[in-house]
DNA sequence: CATGAATGAGTCTTCATTCAT
DNA sequence: AATGAATGAAGACTCATTCAT
């Protein structure tokens, strides 16, 4: 019966783990439950992972890699600073909404990671924060018409909004994904004193 | 079934529990550690509490009561809607910064609470959200010069900023408490298209 | 029911562990069995020990301490080298016979000990070997009438006989304790070319 | 139920098992490790063995067969009792030194053997003990000039020395194989009151 | 009130063994 | 023959909880 799954069991385990870590938290999730989610016995997990940490580490490193890559790709071909920021924010919000489960875990289970891995993830987070800040700073230097509040705080607020979106957005909720992305992006741009619409689109 | 709710030791236990829940999370904290933080043995805890849940429940109900009471008191004697909002935001941010530990626990350990208690806490949270929304709506109806984005989202964003402040503010950090409160309050007001400074203070 | 045992449970646990380590070996003995031997549950063991290692470590350090102390005490007040050797051998054999269980464990479970403890026990064993060798050498230098074979090997042989006695002697066996001690002591003395009987006793 | 008793891999597995049983003991050795020593996966072992017991049983029966056969062959063509004993001891010591690993396992893992196999091995050990005793008795009856101590004990001592040699001899140690064999053989002969050198060699 | 000890369920992990491929 | 995956039992250890002292 178990055959024919190909090499997919490992992925199913990660899925099951992510679902449970999201619902109950890492420490409150037992391997028994994770295995149950895949339809195998606890011991069988160890054919695919080295330990419980593995599941969390994989998850957290993956989500940080994906987030960094997504925003970098989103701004890659754009020159104009404000357009870059707009594109970055769009991607940032959209990512946090669509991958809210993993982002949520990434934000809440840092302390559950073994110290060594935690350091690595924190470095990636710092890198992401700097990427966002560089987008914010570049756009504000060129275009902002109001004296901006502390730009580091502004960047924190951008991160906060991502985190928050991840904590409540549901695909079947009151607002569509595009509406949410639009609303929050505008909110941030207005906050920074920047025009919400791309120049060519506004004319 | 002993209880000594007013006791000195009981308070120390709550403190120890709060510190550990904050650092490691509820599920990852053992009663042994909590007892250790007070300098007593595990068994002795049961002279003061009924179980591990107790500690979390007390904490979460207390913080919600305090938060609601604080903001209500802050706006109690103010009539003018925008002033009410300003005062409410000031209190909201300040509370989240100064009581960041307990607020953080309140935001992250909801799922660790037994279902019955969870419901009660969620009701209190809804109540708080409505309080904030009423402040936002009242101020925007009277004074806002820009078409506001969805006001429910705006309120969410206000909550998000509180949560975020609680997650990084430290009394010995780069910014003073007043600076943080000022910055975030202004940020939100600007966002809503409202004047950041009270009229009389500005002149 | 469990009360009134005073603080004796820890000792009962050590006993139970020693019996099982002797019969089945350390690795093949489960904590469940050890606890069963005392009439308690596995978890209860941890009120008295820190882990399985503890039981082995205590055992091995105790037996080496006792052995060293016993032989040192046995030769303490004796000046004459051959008499010292006789007394030392008597004690050596007698100890290995009467405490055969623990000696056996000590000889066979060294590798089961965590590396740090293992080193400590090995030092004690080296110390004991040197004590025995010093007795042998002193006696042979003064009195031996035959050219002795390598004295280090002879000492090894003395140790080997102790080990071997511990592996088969039973109090209810064919030979009494005194007979065994007598026979092996004579055997070794003869081997070294020394007179088996104390001078005054022989006359 | 595959079997390939003559196979090359089967022999490698036995080797790997013997090395590990020697270093860590039977109970503390996992099939994973044994397989690792051969460079195959655990499951593959079962193409060559029926189970973990198999490995130990084979080892123990083999070593007893070899030991018995070796000593029998060594004394086969010798008539004179003391010469027979000398040759037997030489072989006994030499065997224990050169095959120390397997002899060590044979002496220490008896209790790890399933009851049925254990009985068989014990019979072989008894047979070997009787062989040695017969050599000792025959030589002592004809030639010994001193009143021998209990001959059964003497035989035990001979066995003890074999065991002990197996526990410390290393080919690259301080003494050569011949020196060790010589020393211990002389020791035993002297013990029995028998001349250490063959008559013809002494002249 | 505090303690030390007991309990039983539960944790993660390892193991020998099986078997389809 | 070798492999990768599955299994179920067992391992050591932790935990929240209870209770006699």
């Amino acid at each position: 019966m178990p055959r024919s799954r190909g090499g997919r069991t490992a992925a199913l385990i990660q899925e099951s783990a992510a679902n449970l870590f999201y619902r109950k938290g890492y420490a409150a999730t037992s391997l028994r439950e994770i295995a149950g989610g895949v339809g195998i016995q606890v011991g069988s997990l160890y054919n695919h992972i080295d330990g419980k940490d593995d599941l969390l580490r994989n998850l957290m490193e993956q989500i940080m890699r994906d987030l960094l890559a997504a925003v970098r790709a989103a701004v890659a071909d754009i020159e104009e600073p404000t357009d870059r920021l707009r594109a970055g924010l769009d991607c940032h919000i959209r990512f946090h909404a669509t991958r809210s489960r993993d982002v949520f875990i990434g934000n809440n289970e840092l302390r559950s990671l073994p110290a060594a891995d935690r350091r690595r993830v924190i470095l990636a987070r710092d890198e992401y924060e700097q990427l966002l800040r560089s987008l914010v700073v570049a756009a504000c230097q060129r275009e902002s018409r109001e004296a901006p509040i502390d730009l580091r705080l502004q960047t924190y607020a951008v991160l906060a909004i991502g985190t928050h979106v991840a904590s409540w957005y549901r695909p079947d909720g009151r607002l569509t994904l595009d509406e949410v992305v639009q609303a929050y992006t505008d909110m941030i741009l207005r906050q920074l004193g920047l025009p919400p619409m791309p120049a060519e689109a506004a004319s």
Side-chain angles (χ1 to χ4, degrees), chain A residues 60 103-112 125:
Chain A
M60 299 200 68
V103 163
F104 179 85
I105 297 170
N107 278 326
N108 288 285
E109 298 290 3
L110 242 192
R111 61 186 171 195
S112 305
R125 289 163 70 97

Side-chain angles (χ1 to χ4, degrees), chain A residues 104-181:
Chain A
F104 179 85
I105 297 170
N107 278 326
N108 288 285
E109 298 290 3
L110 242 192
R111 61 186 171 195
S112 305
L113 265 190
D117 306 311
R118 184 164 54 235
R119 270 192 294 277
R120 234 186 354 270
V121 172
I122 286 178
L123 285 181
R125 289 163 70 97
D126 289 349
E127 200 178 344
Y128 183 68
E129 187 195 322
Q130 278 163 24
L131 170 57
L132 277 199
R133 187 158 61 238
S134 75
L135 294 179
V136 167
V137 167
C140 288
Q141 280 179 330
R142 287 275 305 301
E143 247 190 274
S144 180
R145 277 156 296 186
E146 304 192 25
I149 310 176
D150 183 308
L151 284 184
R152 186 184 289 263
L153 273 194
Q154 297 271 20
T155 307
Y156 275 13
V158 172
L159 291 168
I161 283 176
T163 300
H164 204 241
V165 167
S167 78
W168 65 262
Y169 174 78
R170 293 291 171 281
D172 52 355
R174 191 169 56 89
L175 300 172
T176 70
L177 174 56
D178 281 332
E179 283 169 347
V180 170
V181 171

Side-chain angles (χ1 to χ4, degrees), chain A residues 9-22:
Chain A
T9 308
L12 292 177
I13 291 172
Q14 278 289 349
E15 257 303 287
S16 176
N19 286 333
L20 286 157
F21 292 167
Y22 180 59

Side-chain angles (χ1 to χ4, degrees), chain A residues 67 70-72 74-76 78 81-96 128 131-132 135 158 185:
Chain A
L67 177 56
V71 173
R72 282 206 176 112
V75 303
I78 308 182
T82 305
D83 289 343
R84 276 176 69 86
L85 176 60
R86 271 191 213 100
L89 290 177
D90 185 284
C91 179
H92 170 76
I93 306 289
R94 197 174 298 273
F95 190 97
H96 279 77
Y128 183 68
L131 170 57
L132 277 199
L135 294 179
V158 172
T185 305

